[in-house]
Coordinates of all heavy atoms in Angstrom, one line a residue:
M1188 N -38.0 -201.0 209.3 CA -37.7 -199.7 208.8 C -37.0 -198.8 209.9 O -37.4 -198.9 211.0 CB -39.0 -199.0 208.4 CG -38.9 -197.6 207.9 SD -40.3 -197.3 206.8 CE -39.6 -195.8 206.1
L1189 N -36.0 -198.1 209.4 CA -35.2 -197.2 210.3 C -36.0 -195.9 210.6 O -36.6 -195.4 209.7 CB -33.9 -196.9 209.7 CG -33.0 -198.1 209.5 CD1 -31.7 -197.7 208.7 CD2 -32.6 -198.8 210.7
T1190 N -35.8 -195.5 211.8 CA -36.4 -194.2 212.2 C -35.5 -193.1 211.6 O -34.3 -193.3 211.5 CB -36.5 -194.0 213.7 OG1 -35.2 -194.1 214.3 CG2 -37.5 -195.0 214.3
P1191 N -36.1 -192.0 211.2 CA -35.2 -190.9 210.7 C -34.2 -190.4 211.7 O -34.5 -190.3 212.9 CB -36.2 -189.8 210.3 CG -37.6 -190.4 210.4 CD -37.5 -191.6 211.2
R1192 N -33.0 -190.1 211.2 CA -32.0 -189.6 212.1 C -32.2 -188.1 212.4 O -32.7 -187.4 211.6 CB -30.6 -189.7 211.4 CG -29.4 -189.3 212.2 CD -28.1 -189.5 211.5 NE -27.9 -190.9 211.0 CZ -27.5 -191.8 211.8 NH1 -27.2 -191.6 213.1 NH2 -27.2 -193.0 211.3
C1193 N -32.0 -187.8 213.7 CA -32.1 -186.4 214.1 C -31.0 -185.5 213.4 O -29.9 -186.1 213.1 CB -32.1 -186.2 215.6 SG -30.5 -186.6 216.3
P1194 N -31.3 -184.3 213.0 CA -30.3 -183.5 212.3 C -29.1 -183.3 213.2 O -29.2 -183.1 214.4 CB -31.0 -182.2 212.0 CG -32.3 -182.2 212.7 CD -32.5 -183.6 213.2
T1195 N -27.9 -183.3 212.5 CA -26.7 -183.1 213.2 C -26.5 -181.6 213.5 O -26.7 -180.8 212.6 CB -25.5 -183.6 212.4 OG1 -25.7 -184.9 212.0 CG2 -24.2 -183.5 213.2
D1196 N -26.2 -181.2 214.7 CA -25.9 -179.8 215.0 C -24.8 -179.7 216.0 O -24.5 -180.7 216.6 CB -27.2 -179.0 215.4 CG -27.8 -179.6 216.7 OD1 -27.2 -180.5 217.3 OD2 -28.8 -179.1 217.2
P1197 N -24.2 -178.6 216.2 CA -23.1 -178.5 217.2 C -23.5 -178.9 218.6 O -22.6 -179.6 219.2 CB -22.8 -177.0 217.2 CG -23.2 -176.5 215.8 CD -24.4 -177.3 215.5
A1198 N -24.7 -178.7 219.0 CA -25.1 -179.1 220.4 C -25.1 -180.6 220.5 O -24.6 -181.2 221.6 CB -26.5 -178.5 220.7
L1199 N -25.5 -181.3 219.5 CA -25.5 -182.8 219.5 C -24.0 -183.3 219.6 O -23.7 -184.2 220.4 CB -26.2 -183.3 218.3 CG -26.2 -184.9 218.1 CD1 -27.0 -185.5 219.2 CD2 -26.6 -185.2 216.7
L1200 N -23.1 -182.7 218.8 CA -21.7 -183.1 218.8 C -21.1 -182.8 220.2 O -20.3 -183.6 220.7 CB -21.0 -182.5 217.7 CG -21.4 -182.9 216.3 CD1 -20.5 -182.2 215.3 CD2 -21.3 -184.4 216.1
E1201 N -21.4 -181.7 220.8 CA -20.9 -181.3 222.1 C -21.4 -182.3 223.1 O -20.6 -182.7 224.0 CB -21.3 -179.9 222.4 CG -20.5 -178.8 221.6 CD -21.0 -177.4 221.9 OE1 -21.2 -177.1 223.1 OE2 -21.3 -176.7 221.0
A1202 N -22.6 -182.7 223.1 CA -23.2 -183.6 224.0 C -22.5 -185.0 223.9 O -22.2 -185.6 224.9 CB -24.7 -183.8 223.9
A1203 N -22.3 -185.4 222.6 CA -21.6 -186.7 222.4 C -20.2 -186.7 222.9 O -19.7 -187.6 223.5 CB -21.6 -187.1 220.9
A1204 N -19.5 -185.6 222.7 CA -18.1 -185.4 223.2 C -18.1 -185.4 224.8 O -17.2 -186.1 225.3 CB -17.5 -184.1 222.7
R1205 N -19.1 -184.8 225.4 CA -19.1 -184.8 226.9 C -19.3 -186.3 227.3 O -18.7 -186.7 228.3 CB -20.2 -183.9 227.4 CG -19.8 -182.5 227.5 CD -20.8 -181.7 228.3 NE -22.2 -181.8 227.8 CZ -22.7 -181.0 226.8 NH1 -22.0 -180.2 226.2 NH2 -24.0 -181.2 226.5
L1206 N -20.2 -187.0 226.7 CA -20.5 -188.4 227.1 C -19.2 -189.3 227.0 O -19.0 -190.2 227.7 CB -21.6 -189.0 226.2 CG -23.0 -188.6 226.5 CD1 -23.9 -189.1 225.5 CD2 -23.4 -189.1 227.9
A1207 N -18.4 -189.0 226.0 CA -17.1 -189.7 225.8 C -16.0 -189.1 226.5 O -14.9 -189.6 226.4 CB -16.8 -189.7 224.3
N1208 N -16.3 -188.1 227.3 CA -15.2 -187.4 228.1 C -14.1 -186.9 227.2 O -12.9 -187.0 227.5 CB -14.7 -188.3 229.2 CG -14.0 -187.5 230.3 OD1 -14.3 -186.3 230.5 ND2 -13.1 -188.1 231.0
L1209 N -14.5 -186.3 226.1 CA -13.5 -185.7 225.1 C -13.7 -184.2 225.1 O -14.8 -183.7 225.1 CB -13.7 -186.3 223.7 CG -13.5 -187.8 223.6 CD1 -14.0 -188.2 222.2 CD2 -12.1 -188.1 223.8
P1210 N -12.6 -183.4 225.0 CA -12.7 -182.0 224.9 C -13.2 -181.6 223.5 O -12.6 -182.1 222.5 CB -11.3 -181.5 225.2 CG -10.4 -182.6 224.9 CD -11.2 -183.9 225.1
L1211 N -14.1 -180.7 223.4 CA -14.6 -180.2 222.2 C -15.2 -178.8 222.4 O -16.2 -178.6 223.1 CB -15.7 -181.1 221.6 CG -16.2 -180.8 220.2 CD1 -15.1 -180.9 219.1 CD2 -17.4 -181.7 219.8
T1212 N -14.5 -177.8 221.8 CA -15.0 -176.5 221.9 C -16.2 -176.2 221.0 O -16.4 -177.0 220.0 CB -13.9 -175.5 221.5 OG1 -13.6 -175.6 220.1 CG2 -12.6 -175.7 222.3
P1213 N -17.0 -175.3 221.3 CA -18.2 -175.0 220.5 C -17.8 -174.6 219.0 O -18.5 -175.0 218.1 CB -18.9 -173.8 221.2 CG -18.5 -173.9 222.6 CD -17.1 -174.5 222.6
A1214 N -16.7 -173.9 218.9 CA -16.2 -173.6 217.5 C -15.9 -174.8 216.7 O -16.2 -175.0 215.5 CB -15.1 -172.6 217.6
R1215 N -15.2 -175.7 217.4 CA -14.8 -177.0 216.7 C -16.0 -177.9 216.4 O -16.0 -178.5 215.3 CB -13.8 -177.7 217.6 CG -13.2 -179.0 216.9 CD -12.4 -178.7 215.7 NE -11.9 -180.0 215.2 CZ -11.7 -180.3 213.9 NH1 -12.1 -179.4 213.0 NH2 -11.3 -181.4 213.5
A1216 N -16.9 -177.9 217.3 CA -18.2 -178.6 217.0 C -18.9 -178.1 215.8 O -19.3 -178.9 215.0 CB -19.1 -178.6 218.3
A1217 N -18.9 -176.8 215.7 CA -19.6 -176.2 214.5 C -18.8 -176.6 213.2 O -19.4 -176.8 212.1 CB -19.7 -174.7 214.6
E1218 N -17.5 -176.7 213.3 CA -16.7 -177.1 212.1 C -16.9 -178.5 211.7 O -16.8 -178.9 210.6 CB -15.2 -176.9 212.4 CG -14.8 -175.4 212.5 CD -13.3 -175.3 212.9 OE1 -12.6 -176.4 213.0 OE2 -12.9 -174.2 213.2
L1219 N -17.2 -179.4 212.7 CA -17.4 -180.8 212.5 C -18.7 -181.2 211.9 O -18.9 -182.3 211.4 CB -17.1 -181.6 213.7 CG -15.6 -181.6 214.2 CD1 -15.5 -182.3 215.6 CD2 -14.8 -182.4 213.2
V1220 N -19.7 -180.3 212.0 CA -21.1 -180.7 211.6 C -21.1 -181.3 210.1 O -21.7 -182.3 209.9 CB -22.1 -179.6 211.8 CG1 -23.4 -179.8 211.1 CG2 -22.3 -179.3 213.3
P1221 N -20.5 -180.6 209.1 CA -20.6 -181.1 207.8 C -19.9 -182.5 207.6 O -20.4 -183.4 206.9 CB -19.9 -180.1 206.9 CG -19.9 -178.8 207.7 CD -19.9 -179.3 209.1
S1222 N -18.8 -182.7 208.3 CA -18.1 -184.0 208.2 C -18.9 -185.1 208.9 O -19.0 -186.2 208.3 CB -16.7 -183.9 209.0 OG -15.9 -183.0 208.3
M1223 N -19.5 -184.8 210.0 CA -20.3 -185.8 210.7 C -21.6 -186.1 209.9 O -22.0 -187.2 209.9 CB -20.7 -185.3 212.1 CG -19.4 -185.3 213.0 SD -18.4 -186.8 213.0 CE -19.6 -188.0 213.6
D1224 N -22.1 -185.1 209.2 CA -23.3 -185.4 208.3 C -22.9 -186.4 207.3 O -23.7 -187.4 207.0 CB -23.8 -184.1 207.6 CG -24.7 -183.3 208.5 OD1 -25.3 -183.9 209.4 OD2 -24.8 -182.1 208.3
G1225 N -21.7 -186.3 206.7 CA -21.2 -187.3 205.7 C -21.0 -188.7 206.3 O -21.4 -189.7 205.7
V1226 N -20.5 -188.7 207.5 CA -20.3 -190.0 208.2 C -21.7 -190.7 208.5 O -21.8 -191.9 208.2 CB -19.5 -189.8 209.5 CG1 -19.5 -191.1 210.3 CG2 -18.1 -189.4 209.2
F1227 N -22.6 -189.9 208.9 CA -23.9 -190.4 209.2 C -24.6 -190.9 208.0 O -25.4 -191.9 208.0 CB -24.8 -189.4 210.0 CG -24.3 -189.2 211.4 CD1 -24.3 -187.9 212.0 CD2 -23.8 -190.2 212.2 CE1 -23.9 -187.7 213.3 CE2 -23.3 -190.0 213.5 CZ -23.4 -188.8 214.0
Q1228 N -24.4 -190.2 206.9 CA -25.0 -190.6 205.6 C -24.5 -192.0 205.2 O -25.2 -192.8 204.7 CB -24.8 -189.6 204.5 CG -25.6 -188.3 204.7 CD -25.3 -187.3 203.6 OE1 -24.4 -187.5 202.8 NE2 -26.0 -186.2 203.7
L1229 N -23.2 -192.2 205.4 CA -22.6 -193.5 205.0 C -23.1 -194.6 205.9 O -23.4 -195.7 205.5 CB -21.0 -193.4 205.2 CG -20.3 -192.6 204.1 CD1 -18.8 -192.4 204.5 CD2 -20.4 -193.2 202.8
L1230 N -23.3 -194.3 207.2 CA -23.8 -195.3 208.1 C -25.3 -195.6 207.8 O -25.7 -196.8 207.8 CB -23.7 -194.8 209.6 CG -22.3 -194.7 210.2 CD1 -22.4 -194.0 211.5 CD2 -21.7 -196.0 210.3
D1231 N -26.0 -194.6 207.4 CA -27.4 -194.9 207.0 C -27.4 -195.8 205.7 O -28.3 -196.7 205.6 CB -28.2 -193.6 206.7 CG -28.5 -192.8 207.9 OD1 -28.4 -193.4 209.0 OD2 -28.7 -191.6 207.8
A1232 N -26.5 -195.5 204.8 CA -26.5 -196.4 203.6 C -26.1 -197.8 204.0 O -26.7 -198.8 203.4 CB -25.5 -195.8 202.6
L1233 N -25.2 -198.0 204.9 CA -24.8 -199.3 205.3 C -26.0 -200.0 206.0 O -26.1 -201.2 205.9 CB -23.6 -199.3 206.2 CG -22.3 -198.9 205.6 CD1 -21.2 -198.7 206.6 CD2 -21.9 -200.0 204.6
N1234 N -26.7 -199.3 206.8 CA -27.8 -199.9 207.6 C -28.9 -200.3 206.6 O -29.7 -201.2 207.0 CB -28.4 -198.9 208.6 CG -27.6 -198.8 209.8 OD1 -26.8 -199.7 210.2 ND2 -27.6 -197.6 210.5
Q1235 N -29.0 -199.8 205.4 CA -30.1 -200.2 204.5 C -29.7 -201.4 203.6 O -30.5 -201.9 202.9 CB -30.4 -199.0 203.6 CG -31.1 -197.9 204.4 CD -31.4 -196.7 203.6 OE1 -31.3 -196.7 202.3 NE2 -31.9 -195.6 204.2
A1236 N -28.5 -201.8 203.7 CA -28.0 -203.0 202.9 C -28.8 -204.2 203.4 O -28.9 -204.5 204.6 CB -26.5 -203.2 203.1
A1237 N -29.3 -205.0 202.5 CA -30.0 -206.2 202.8 C -28.9 -207.3 203.0 O -28.4 -207.9 202.0 CB -31.0 -206.6 201.7
L1238 N -28.6 -207.7 204.2 CA -27.6 -208.7 204.5 C -28.2 -210.1 204.6 O -27.4 -211.1 204.6 CB -26.9 -208.3 205.8 CG -26.1 -207.0 205.7 CD1 -25.4 -206.7 207.0 CD2 -25.1 -206.9 204.6
G1239 N -29.5 -210.2 204.7 CA -30.1 -211.5 204.9 C -29.5 -212.3 206.1 O -29.6 -211.8 207.2
E1240 N -29.0 -213.5 205.8 CA -28.5 -214.3 206.9 C -27.0 -214.3 207.1 O -26.4 -215.2 207.5 CB -29.0 -215.7 206.7 CG -30.5 -215.9 206.8 CD -31.1 -215.6 208.1 OE1 -30.5 -215.9 209.2 OE2 -32.1 -214.9 208.2
T1241 N -26.4 -213.2 206.7 CA -25.0 -213.0 206.8 C -24.6 -213.0 208.3 O -25.0 -212.2 209.0 CB -24.5 -211.7 206.1 OG1 -25.0 -211.7 204.8 CG2 -23.0 -211.6 206.2
P1242 N -23.7 -214.0 208.7 CA -23.3 -214.0 210.1 C -22.3 -212.9 210.4 O -21.6 -212.4 209.5 CB -22.6 -215.4 210.2 CG -22.1 -215.7 208.8 CD -23.1 -215.1 207.9
P1243 N -22.3 -212.4 211.6 CA -21.3 -211.4 212.0 C -19.9 -211.9 211.8 O -19.6 -213.1 211.8 CB -21.6 -211.1 213.4 CG -22.6 -212.1 213.9 CD -23.1 -212.9 212.7
A1244 N -18.9 -211.0 211.6 CA -17.6 -211.3 211.3 C -16.9 -212.2 212.4 O -16.1 -213.0 212.1 CB -16.7 -210.1 211.1
F1245 N -17.3 -212.0 213.7 CA -16.7 -212.8 214.7 C -17.0 -214.3 214.6 O -16.4 -215.1 215.2 CB -17.1 -212.3 216.1 CG -18.5 -212.5 216.5 CD1 -19.0 -213.6 217.0 CD2 -19.4 -211.4 216.3 CE1 -20.3 -213.8 217.3 CE2 -20.8 -211.6 216.6 CZ -21.2 -212.8 217.2
A1246 N -18.0 -214.6 213.8 CA -18.4 -216.0 213.6 C -17.5 -216.7 212.6 O -17.5 -217.9 212.5 CB -19.8 -216.2 213.2
F1247 N -16.7 -216.0 211.9 CA -15.8 -216.5 210.8 C -14.6 -217.2 211.5 O -14.0 -216.7 212.4 CB -15.3 -215.4 209.9 CG -14.3 -215.9 208.9 CD1 -14.8 -216.6 207.8 CD2 -13.0 -215.6 209.0 CE1 -13.9 -217.0 206.8 CE2 -12.1 -216.0 208.0 CZ -12.6 -216.7 206.9
R1248 N -14.3 -218.4 211.1 CA -13.2 -219.2 211.6 C -12.2 -219.5 210.5 O -12.6 -220.3 209.6 CB -13.7 -220.5 212.3 CG -14.6 -220.2 213.5 CD -13.8 -219.9 214.7 NE -14.6 -219.8 215.9 CZ -15.0 -218.7 216.4 NH1 -14.6 -217.5 215.9 NH2 -15.8 -218.7 217.5
A1249 N -11.1 -218.9 210.5 CA -10.1 -219.2 209.4 C -9.2 -220.3 210.0 O -8.5 -220.1 210.9 CB -9.3 -217.9 209.1
N1250 N -9.3 -221.5 209.4 CA -8.5 -222.6 209.9 C -7.5 -223.0 208.8 O -7.3 -224.2 208.4 CB -9.4 -223.8 210.2 CG -10.3 -223.5 211.3 OD1 -9.9 -222.9 212.3 ND2 -11.5 -224.0 211.3
W1251 N -6.7 -222.0 208.3 CA -5.7 -222.3 207.3 C -4.5 -223.0 207.9 O -3.8 -223.8 207.3 CB -5.3 -221.1 206.6 CG -6.4 -220.5 205.8 CD1 -7.1 -221.1 204.8 CD2 -7.0 -219.2 205.9 NE1 -8.1 -220.2 204.3 CE2 -8.0 -219.1 205.0 CE3 -6.7 -218.1 206.8 CZ2 -8.8 -217.9 204.8 CZ3 -7.5 -217.0 206.6 CH2 -8.5 -216.9 205.7
E1252 N -4.2 -222.7 209.1 CA -3.0 -223.3 209.8 C -3.5 -224.5 210.6 O -4.5 -224.4 211.3 CB -2.3 -222.3 210.6 CG -1.7 -221.2 209.8 CD -0.9 -220.2 210.7 OE1 -0.6 -220.6 211.9 OE2 -0.6 -219.1 210.2
R1253 N -2.8 -225.6 210.6 CA -3.3 -226.7 211.3 C -2.3 -227.1 212.4 O -1.1 -227.0 212.3 CB -3.5 -227.9 210.4 CG -4.7 -227.6 209.5 CD -4.9 -228.8 208.6 NE -5.8 -228.4 207.6 CZ -7.0 -228.8 207.5 NH1 -7.5 -229.6 208.3 NH2 -7.8 -228.4 206.5

């Protein structure tokens, strides 16, 4: 079971931008909160998919050319 995600707020986005060494003003961080909430909701939905024994994509070997 996944732990609940912490709420997205401008301070969280500013901290993430600092970690990535990206410039982000406080005003822009506040504008991005709704968009990032949508992105995180999509990621949460993907994390809940039951993949079973599906191998990661890097394990796929396409041998069409010989």
Side-chain angles (χ1 to χ4, degrees):
M1188 178 155 193
L1189 298 173
T1190 58
R1192 184 179 300 282
C1193 64
T1195 309
D1196 62 4
L1199 177 68
L1200 296 180
E1201 289 176 45
R1205 276 193 307 276
L1206 286 171
N1208 201 24
L1209 297 172
L1211 184 64
T1212 64
R1215 183 67 177 141
E1218 292 173 5
L1219 288 173
V1220 168
S1222 296
M1223 293 309 298
D1224 277 336
V1226 170
F1227 291 142
Q1228 286 175 358
L1229 289 172
L1230 290 173
D1231 289 341
L1233 289 173
N1234 282 335
Q1235 293 178 8
L1238 299 179
E1240 296 297 320
T1241 305
F1245 68 84
F1247 179 72
R1248 299 280 186 254
N1250 293 323
W1251 294 301
E1252 296 182 17
R1253 294 181 192 250

